[in-house]
Amino acid sequence: MADFSLKELEYWNERIEEIAVESGLNFYNQEFEIINYEDMIGYESYVGMPSHYPHWSYGKSYERIKTLHKYNLTGLPYEMVINSNPCIAYLMKDNSLLVQILTIAHVYAHNDFFKNNRLFKKGTKAEYAVETFKNHANRIRDYISDPSIGYTKVEKILNAAHAVKLQTERIIDFCNNKKKKEESKSALAEHKSDFPNLDRYSENKRQDDSEASNQEIKIPEEPQEDILKFITEYGRLLDWEKDILSIVREEARYFIPQIETKIMNEGWASFWHYTILSKLELPQSLHFEFLRKHNEVVRPLKSSINPYFIGFKIIENLYNTQGKDKIFEVRENERDQSFIRRYLTQELCDEMNLFEYITTGNDYMISEVSDEEGWKKVRDTLCNTVGVGSIPVIKVTEWSPKENTLFLEHEFDGRELELSYAYETLKHLVDLWKGKVVLSTHLEEKKKNIACDEMKRISLYT
Amino acid sequence: MAIFRDCSNIGKDRSAEDRRRHRELVEESIKKNLGNIIAEQSIIGKSKDKKIKIPIKGIKEFQFIYGKSKPGVGAGDGNEKRGDKFQGEAQEGKGKGGAGNQEGEEVYETEITIEEVIKYLFDDMNLPDIDKKQLSRLEEKSYRKLGYQHKGIPPRLAKKRSVIEKIKRRQASKRSEDGENTTYDKQEGQERFPFIQEDLRYYRIKEDNKRDYNAVVLCIMDVSGSMDQTKKYLARSFYFLLYQFLRLKYANVDVVFIAHTTTAKEVNEREFFHRGESGGTYISSGYDKALEIIADRYSPSNWNIYAFHCSDGDNWSEDNKRAVESAKKLCEVCNLFGYGEIVPGYYNIGSTIKNEFQTNIKSNNFAAININKKEDVLPALKKLLDKASDRDEKAIMD
């Protein structure tokens, strides 16, 4: 251990936990694992999970994180918390006592957020998180060691599934009453009946392929956002392939609430570590280190968003102007987009010097600043680019069984797709669909189609 | 009450297999991208340990992402005005400008040394050994071990000797264990008896001289007006690889650059690739210059000589005959003489001069190859070096 013992940690933890409970934080049981630097990078690259299925992308992630640390491009991690019950957090052994104290306080707030924010409540099952990932890992390892399948085939399916894993149903907009009714129908709530058409479809197909294709039923009835689910239901896949898709899909969905609440969650945790440590009556030397570390965590970053900074500022402001009940209400109900839309004020925009930029070649150009006329634009741009707003919306619009062509549509909102990435992603989709895939999108103000055929040939046409 | 667990010495390396697979994919990708990498390198110089960055195309993880034009939000110091520009790198620290602005569009780069590139390359190519018949009299430094010393650098650590010293010290320390105090901490049941500085021994080294093989590459290039940057780029890739290959085989490799139009001169590397000339072409002038340099400085009895000529084949016809004659003379003094015809972009049926060479030069150490695009560079080199190894076979080159 560095400059602390387990006993010391337990001592500080007890006091922190006490203050956290008094303050109204309501969390799952907490477990801390103290790990070394290498293990931390390991956990970071495997999305925190103690077990996870193998794929080279996690090896890449490991090398990447390690390189970043090696060249000091990112600091040493303080912690990693996973949304599970009991909540598991990893603390890094090499950090100082003060960093551990600050981190422990920070972790309790994340834990509280996981337990109480409605996206997590509805979208994830913390009790089963660790087990689920372990189960997935076992299933995929079984396919790899199955002589009739093997690593190469599994890898190919995983590569392809990873490419579209975030092309999934977005979290229901909780503020929108019209959609609220559909909530129960959403895939989030129907874990058990995730693939209702699976059996029916495969039976039909086996019995009478031609009859099924002659039926003039439009599939899907409505544009379908969940690409992996659609392919699992209607694609020509073997059972093990379907299973891998469902695994990748389920894991991606587990992370959607985290993607959707990054700013709030970090802001919330930063607000509470700050509040709790201020009450801890730390010895003076630790107190100074605390202020210094805290300021490092919540500092602004030019040309990108530091979620700790923006989240902390908004929550602090809400607390100061509207009180404690308000912030608890906000942490329960909002996600980043609604949080920013409602609570990022002009004063805050101005105080944080937020600006909007666009890229021109290798340069960034400031297109809007947070003054009287500009701040709303800045705020709206931020709203539209946080959470799943950073992922293009692509829907399955039609499947024509005769040619087995899959039609996709990009819901254009002014932001164009990166073409080279779209091409390669379509090739992955062809691997999954085993047929032609056509994506319609907008390029240079014109509607365009990108087609990828079974030979992986790409064509672009109007 | 929370639970704390110290898990810091579990020591499992969970990512080992995924890292191995990733590295394997990186290697495959490097091989595929090699043409791009080598074309940018200077041929000589301290390239051995130089780290170069390689964009790894195959290792990107593709998904649907937004393109460059999307807006973003940042935080500044309050002095920002509409229309101000700033550098994208500021927040990235490294990598290509603006790359960080695009989520997912990570230009994944890996840093490897040229040495490693060459290793990947020749691993794949399974090249034959080149004869080392002609020994040079030049000598190469080598090192001889002469006993041990207390101080030294890590590579010269004498492991076995150090262990012996440690064991000696341990025995001594055991004997004195009953005595009142030992210098070394004896914790309860401690099995470990670590090395200390005193135990370590290093080899004493004496520099020695050893004979080795040396080679010279004569890079001859047509720099007349028709040889544009694309063609030079292909030529450079070729020379680079050839040089690197020879460096693996020989202790010293000299490089000579000869640029020619209707006349030839010896130049430095920069001039060789960057200076454009105009006018016509006498290929023979380049060959004659090479012969002259060989006669002056690189006696064939002492040197392994590799000459290579890159041209687009656009020779003035009155020179063809002389070019063939000079090429024959080069074959006599060189281990290998190669002619590479560089005509980018389309299928090349071969120029008059290439046909002349193929018809008239019967030496086994002559090879003519085509380079139309950068993907051809490696196979061209392979073909050339195969030629070098199968002198007995009458090779049929297209």
Side-chain angles (χ1 to χ4, degrees):
Chain A
M1 292 278 157
D3 66 339
F4 57 85
S5 64
L6 275 189
K7 279 228 162 58
E8 272 179 286
L9 289 189
E10 280 164 0
Y11 164 78
W12 287 107
N13 169 68
E14 204 173 325
R15 298 185 54 192
I16 291 166
E17 213 175 324
E18 220 173 80
I19 298 173
V21 172
E22 274 168 23
S23 310
L25 293 180
N26 165 22
F27 38 82
Y28 300 125
N29 284 336
Q30 181 65 52
E31 295 181 9
F32 291 101
E33 296 197 359
I34 291 131
I35 60 175
N36 65 27
Y37 166 72
E38 303 275 329
D39 288 332
M40 181 60 98
I41 299 176
Y43 281 114
E44 279 189 83
S45 36
Y46 289 90
V47 292
M49 291 299 163
S51 17
H52 198 279
Y53 63 77
H55 186 253
W56 58 265
S57 58
Y58 304 109
K60 167 186 161 180
S61 174
Y62 185 96
E63 305 281 14
R64 199 159 160 268
I65 297 168
K66 198 166 181 181
T67 310
L68 289 175
H69 289 311
K70 191 169 144 201
Y71 293 106
N72 257 333
L73 291 169
T74 60
L76 289 177
Y78 290 174
E79 41 78 23
M80 170 123 213
V81 195
I82 62 177
N83 165 26
S84 63
N85 180 16
C87 179
I88 302 171
Y90 307 100
L91 301 180
M92 216 178 72
K93 180 188 158 193
D94 301 322
N95 285 325
S96 68
L97 176 62
L98 181 275
V99 170
Q100 309 295 358
I101 295 171
L102 184 138
T103 304
I104 291 169
H106 193 89
V107 164
Y108 279 112
H110 277 317
N111 183 342
D112 164 273
F113 198 91
F114 290 145
K115 190 175 171 187
N116 296 289
N117 178 274
R118 54 196 296 177
L119 270 64
F120 288 92
K121 280 205 280 196
K122 286 182 183 288
T124 65
K125 294 189 169 157
E127 286 74 19
Y128 304 124
V130 173
E131 263 314 296
T132 305
F133 277 75
K134 190 175 173 195
N135 177 305
H136 290 168
N138 289 340
R139 268 146 72 192
I140 292 204
R141 289 209 168 89
D142 284 348
Y143 296 134
I144 289 173
S145 53
D146 183 334
S148 70
I149 302 173
Y151 187 87
T152 319
K153 285 185 190 166
V154 170
E155 185 182 63
K156 188 175 169 189
I157 293 287
L158 281 175
N159 288 348
H162 283 184
V164 287
K165 67 178 180 183
L166 293 176
Q167 255 30 87
T168 186
E169 226 157 66
R170 279 148 205 257
I171 294 288
I172 307 302
D173 186 353
F174 292 103
C175 334
N176 191 332
N177 282 331
K178 209 173 77 187
K179 281 190 183 168
K180 212 166 185 177
K181 283 180 197 153
E182 293 168 22
E183 225 174 86
S184 59
K185 272 200 266 171
S186 85
L188 279 180
E190 59 176 37
H191 271 276
K192 280 178 194 147
S193 55
D194 243 4
F195 302 108
N197 299 328
L198 200 62
D199 298 336
R200 196 202 65 208
Y201 173 67
S202 20
E203 271 168 33
N204 279 352
K205 197 169 167 59
R206 235 171 283 129
Q207 282 170 4
D208 198 342
D209 221 343
S210 59
E211 193 189 312
S213 61
N214 285 335
Q215 284 170 359
E216 289 296 314
I217 302 168
K218 188 172 177 288
I219 301 173
E221 283 176 47
E222 295 284 319
Q224 157 98 258
E225 230 177 335
D226 194 332
I227 294 183
L228 284 183
K229 186 175 174 188
F230 186 87
I231 294 176
T232 312
E233 283 180 36
Y234 298 106
R236 299 168 178 175
L237 291 169
L238 301 169
D239 284 343
W240 69 267
E241 295 174 313
K242 287 179 186 168
D243 191 37
I244 289 184
L245 295 200
S246 73
I247 287 171
V248 171
R249 175 176 171 272
E250 200 179 330
E251 294 199 359
R253 298 182 65 78
Y254 169 84
F255 288 105
I256 294 276
Q258 295 187 32
I259 297 173
E260 284 283 71
T261 58
K262 178 81 178 159
I263 293 174
M264 282 180 75
N265 201 347
E266 293 302 357
W268 181 252
S270 300
F271 175 80
W272 283 107
H273 79 227
Y274 183 76
T275 309
I276 292 171
L277 263 71
S278 304
K279 290 186 183 169
L280 263 186
E281 290 165 9
L282 293 162
Q284 198 161 44
S285 63
L286 289 184
H287 191 78
F288 283 133
E289 194 186 344
F290 150 51
L291 293 177
R292 207 173 60 236
K293 289 289 176 199
H294 173 73
N295 286 329
E296 267 172 37
V297 171
V298 299
R299 72 179 203 284
L301 293 175
K302 197 162 192 168
S303 86
S304 76
I305 288 305
N306 179 358
Y308 295 81
F309 172 61
I310 293 190
F312 177 78
K313 283 287 189 185
I314 298 178
I315 288 178
E316 186 192 46
N317 182 56
L318 273 177
Y319 180 81
N320 292 339
T321 54
Q322 301 187 53
K324 194 157 122 184
D325 290 349
K326 183 65 184 175
I327 59 170
F328 276 91
E329 179 200 315
V330 165
R331 89 69 165 93
E332 186 153 342
N333 295 321
E334 309 293 345
R335 59 200 177 106
D336 284 353
Q337 196 178 33
S338 59
F339 175 68
I340 288 163
R341 178 139 5 242
R342 291 181 180 178
Y343 304 116
L344 179 61
T345 61
Q346 190 196 338
E347 291 71 34
L348 278 171
C349 277
D350 187 43
E351 192 192 327
M352 293 190 276
N353 301 313
L354 297 187
F355 58 79
E356 184 203 67
Y357 62 79
I358 50 171
T359 45
T360 52
N362 285 344
D363 282 337
Y364 294 78
M365 194 192 68
I366 291 170
S367 43
E368 204 59 74
V369 295
S370 290
D371 56 15
E372 195 76 36
E373 310 125 63
W375 80 274
K376 277 190 179 157
K377 184 91 187 301
V378 173
R379 181 197 62 188
D380 291 348
T381 299
L382 186 55
C383 281
N384 294 336
T385 50
V386 295
V388 293
S390 62
I391 305 161
V393 180
I394 308 241
K395 290 182 174 170
V396 178
T397 50
E398 208 185 330
W399 164 43
S400 63
K402 256 185 195 150
E403 303 88 31
N404 195 37
T405 301
L406 185 67
F407 291 94
L408 307 175
E409 187 170 316
H410 166 218
E411 276 184 10
F412 184 67
D413 62 357
R415 289 179 284 180
E416 286 185 1
L417 294 180
E418 172 71 36
L419 264 191
S420 61
Y421 271 64
Y423 292 165
E424 297 303 318
T425 309
L426 285 174
K427 289 179 191 170
H428 281 313
L429 268 171
V430 166
D431 279 338
L432 293 180
W433 185 250
K434 303 181 179 175
K436 190 173 172 183
V437 180
V438 180
L439 168 71
S440 76
T441 183
H442 273 76
L443 288 168
E444 288 159 355
E445 328 233 306
K446 279 188 202 112
K447 194 162 176 175
K448 294 260 182 182
N449 290 307
I450 310 167
C452 182
D453 68 11
E454 288 101 319
M455 307 295 291
K456 308 263 180 85
R457 285 175 303 214
I458 296 281
S459 45
L460 183 68
Y461 55 92
T462 318
Chain B
M1 182 62 198
I3 297 170
F4 282 85
R5 271 192 295 263
D6 185 356
C7 306
S8 60
N9 280 312
I10 294 174
K12 56 176 178 178
D13 184 2
R14 67 185 307 203
S15 63
E17 180 53 26
D18 287 338
R19 271 151 52 208
R20 190 201 59 74
R21 175 63 182 147
H22 173 240
R23 266 198 308 277
E24 200 171 88
L25 292 169
V26 169
E27 287 183 22
E28 282 172 22
S29 177
I30 288 174
K31 280 175 191 163
K32 281 188 207 142
N33 287 307
L34 221 50
N36 296 325
I37 301 162
I38 54 183
E40 301 302 328
Q41 300 307 311
S42 103
I43 292 172
I44 42 175
K46 291 196 174 149
S47 56
K48 189 176 158 198
D49 298 319
K50 194 173 125 199
K51 295 256 183 201
I52 51 173
K53 279 186 185 168
I54 298 170
I56 304 298
K57 282 188 184 153
I59 313 297
K60 279 185 192 165
E61 291 163 77
F62 295 103
Q63 22 183 321
F64 291 116
I65 57 164
Y66 289 122
K68 284 196 184 92
S69 58
K70 64 162 192 174
V73 171
D77 53 18
N79 295 320
E80 291 79 14
K81 282 185 236 40
R82 289 181 183 83
D84 281 359
K85 282 188 180 167
F86 61 96
Q87 283 286 313
E89 278 99 328
Q91 136 249 353
E92 285 304 310
K94 86 181 254 196
K96 287 199 171 159
N101 189 32
Q102 278 172 265
E103 271 146 312
E105 165 60 280
E106 46 174 327
V107 179
Y108 181 79
E109 286 180 334
T110 187
E111 277 195 345
I112 62 171
T113 60
I114 304 238
E115 196 84 340
E116 286 165 317
V117 174
I118 300 305
K119 194 182 134 275
Y120 288 135
L121 185 61
F122 293 121
D123 270 0
D124 199 32
M125 284 177 54
N126 210 6
L127 287 172
D129 253 353
I130 290 185
D131 290 346
K132 295 177 176 179
K133 283 188 285 207
Q134 297 157 307
L135 292 205
S136 143
R137 298 277 170 259
L138 289 186
E139 289 175 331
E140 161 75 345
K141 265 181 197 158
S142 74
Y143 299 93
R144 210 143 58 89
K145 292 170 186 167
L146 282 174
Y148 305 99
Q149 59 193 20
H150 280 276
K151 294 261 187 275
I153 55 172
R156 294 190 191 149
L157 180 68
K159 293 189 191 116
K160 197 170 159 193
R161 187 74 203 176
S162 301
V163 172
I164 292 171
E165 291 299 323
K166 189 180 96 165
I167 293 170
K168 276 159 72 180
R169 186 168 54 83
R170 183 179 196 171
Q171 292 308 112
S173 125
K174 267 193 186 155
R175 258 176 261 128
S176 66
E177 224 157 59
D178 300 328
E180 51 277 72
N181 59 348
T182 53
T183 357
Y184 311 107
D185 282 352
K186 276 187 290 155
Q187 287 163 13
E188 320 79 302
Q190 189 186 353
E191 287 290 301
R192 266 173 54 82
F193 191 84
F195 281 99
I196 61 167
Q197 191 61 44
E198 287 171 32
D199 300 332
L200 303 184
R201 293 293 181 277
Y202 298 86
Y203 292 114
R204 191 194 306 276
I205 296 296
K206 187 177 180 291
E207 276 188 10
D208 210 350
N209 289 324
K210 145 186 159 211
R211 278 187 193 170
D212 215 325
Y213 313 97
N214 299 280
V216 58
V217 198
L218 297 143
C219 306
I220 310 162
M221 185 160 67
D222 178 357
V223 294
S224 63
S226 60
M227 284 295 286
D228 58 23
Q229 279 309 319
T230 315
K231 293 176 187 171
K232 285 182 187 167
Y233 170 102
L234 291 171
R236 186 218 292 260
S237 302
F238 184 87
Y239 289 128
F240 176 80
L241 278 183
L242 180 63
Y243 171 68
Q244 294 296 338
F245 175 76
L246 294 174
R247 259 182 17 136
L248 288 181
K249 303 287 171 188
Y250 298 101
N252 289 313
V253 183
D254 273 12
V255 187
V256 173
F257 297 100
I258 299 162
H260 77 82
T261 52
T262 48
T263 56
K265 58 187 159 231
E266 190 178 350
V267 295
N268 64 26
E269 184 179 347
R270 236 201 90 69
E271 281 181 282
F272 190 67
F273 290 110
H274 291 100
R275 203 169 62 182
E277 305 261 357
S278 53
T281 307
Y282 284 160
I283 287 176
S284 65
S285 70
Y287 297 176
D288 291 342
K289 187 75 187 172
L291 288 164
E292 186 188 315
I293 291 171
I294 291 167
D296 277 0
R297 285 148 48 195
Y298 298 103
S299 148
S301 56
N302 291 342
W303 288 83
N304 292 283
I305 303 170
Y306 296 84
F308 201 81
H309 177 223
C310 284
S311 164
D312 55 9
D314 197 8
N315 198 35
W316 280 4
S317 53
E318 71 261 27
D319 183 60
N320 285 353
K321 209 170 179 148
R322 269 179 45 209
V324 170
E325 287 315 305
S326 300
K328 280 181 178 168
K329 279 185 204 149
L330 271 174
C331 288
E332 283 164 24
V333 292
C334 293
N335 297 42
L336 182 67
F337 171 57
Y339 168 70
E341 194 154 288
I342 302 183
V343 184
Y346 50 90
Y347 183 67
N348 173 28
I349 44 158
S351 66
T352 323
I353 188 71
K354 191 179 170 212
N355 291 334
E356 292 276 335
F357 285 159
Q358 280 174 325
T359 324
N360 296 313
I361 304 179
K362 300 294 173 203
S363 307
N364 285 333
N365 61 344
F366 171 77
I369 54 180
N370 284 336
I371 302 175
N372 300 335
K373 50 188 183 303
K374 58 186 187 236
E375 289 78 21
D376 293 345
V377 173
L378 258 176
L381 180 74
K382 185 172 158 52
K383 213 165 171 183
L384 180 74
L385 294 166
D386 275 350
K387 180 82 178 177
S389 67
D390 312 331
R391 296 219 182 124
D392 299 333
E393 269 176 54
K394 176 127 178 123
I396 301 145
M397 311 299 289
D398 65 344

